Amino acid sequence: MIRHVFLLFLTAAALWSAVVERKPWPSGESFLRYLEHKGLPQKLYWDLEREDKELCEEIRAGVPYYEMTDDNGTGLLQALIPINDELQIHLKRNAEGGYDFEMIPVAYQVIEDSFALPVTRSPYQDIIAATNNRKLAHAFVDAFKNSFDFTRLRKGDIVAVAYKEKMRLGRPYGLPSIEAAMIKSRKKAHYLFRYHDRYYDEKGREVEGFLFRKPVNHVRITSRFTLRRWHPVLHRYRAHLGVDFGGRTGTPIYAAADGRIIFAGRLGGYGNVIKIRHRDGFMTLYAHMSKFRRGMRRGRYVKKGQVIGYIGSTGMSTGPHLHFGLYKNGRPINPLGVIKVAKRTLYGKKRKDFIRYAEGMKKELGEAVAQNRKPLRLDDLSKTRYCLDDEALFCDINATRIGG
Ligand SMILES: [Zn+2]
């Protein structure tokens, strides 16, 4: 009994003497370099599986990560480093003084809100004035940009928005998503509904305009995109932030859309990589290339369909394939949703399900307008602290205990 109390006391003392810091991930820092800077064994990286090594290249510059250090100055106890909005690296000092590496889900809350606003200046400015949430205003304009001409708006027109926003430790996390929205202009209502990650109008016609071509011809998909997946056999979380196309070494790779090359070189587990920036915040990544086509270097402008390089097996790769990643505003999205030949219209049962969903969302927007419902302000949301900052790691650790 006494021994138990003593152990409890030791555990509590260890917890309370820890300091948690939130910092932006430095630009140009790789996970391997991070280990080096922290004086942690490089073996942590080299022992990882291929898939995890690839994920280590996905840490975005500027993304906030957490470190828990012992305030006696004996170094890092734990670190949480997000690789996307759903999954993060958890480094934890173990009883032997070494470190354990695992991928764990990011713990966050989701806020759902709907509101209506009269247009006084522009929807963008009006939403910011009412919510202090610039990202939400941007998401609204972005969602409508292919289906509505904002110059047609007049003072007194109405916008209504239903959206979701992730909050982590009292701060917005990731990007808000517009679930449904309406612009009522000159007595006519224009709707948008997000359905299976795509935007549709009232009739179930897709409204997004930007299309990518397949980066390779006549190859098969060997691995699909997933943000976070629990592997029931391995008992761990996995992610694959792109699509793998298996093909022979030397098969040409095409630019998926017009854009400018922002990176051409080696990138850890991804081997030879080209990154192309496109309009509307899109970026594509082509990995494991055997070689680049002559002249493909940073700053070069390429056209959709132009050959940029060739399939290979460089970096952490088990055989020749193209790993193709697609990013919107720096966040990985499923490429297969955006590669296609024409806009989609929903038919049959899918359309029926959509119409039922859209009716529900329409009703919610209608109520927001009828009640003149005011939005939540970001400043007020941030006052609600779901977890104290120094409990952050404990929250996430608890999430691991439940998940694993
Ligand atoms: Zn891959």
Side-chain angles (χ1 to χ4, degrees), residues 2-21:
I2 287 174
R3 193 194 284 163
H4 276 128
V5 171
F6 183 58
L7 272 179
L8 262 179
F9 171 75
L10 268 189
T11 316
L15 293 181
W16 296 122
S17 64
V19 182
V20 176
E21 265 186 291

Side-chain angles (χ1 to χ4, degrees), residues 224-238:
R224 287 173 186 271
F225 176 91
T226 166
L227 270 185
R228 178 179 111 183
R229 181 164 65 87
W230 173 249
H231 197 294
V233 179
L234 297 173
H235 276 273
R236 43 185 294 214
Y237 285 95
R238 317 297 299 262

Side-chain angles (χ1 to χ4, degrees), residues 50 54 223 240 242-244 270 288 321-324:
R50 186 177 79 85
E54 273 191 7
S223 178
H240 186 236
V243 173
D244 287 351
Y270 278 142
H288 309 301
H321 74 284
L322 169 69
H323 170 101
F324 176 64

Side-chain angles (χ1 to χ4, degrees), residues 207-220:
V207 297
E208 266 167 305
F210 200 45
L211 300 177
F212 291 85
R213 63 153 287 160
K214 251 167 86 174
V216 272
N217 289 334
H218 315 299
V219 289
R220 70 211 151 79

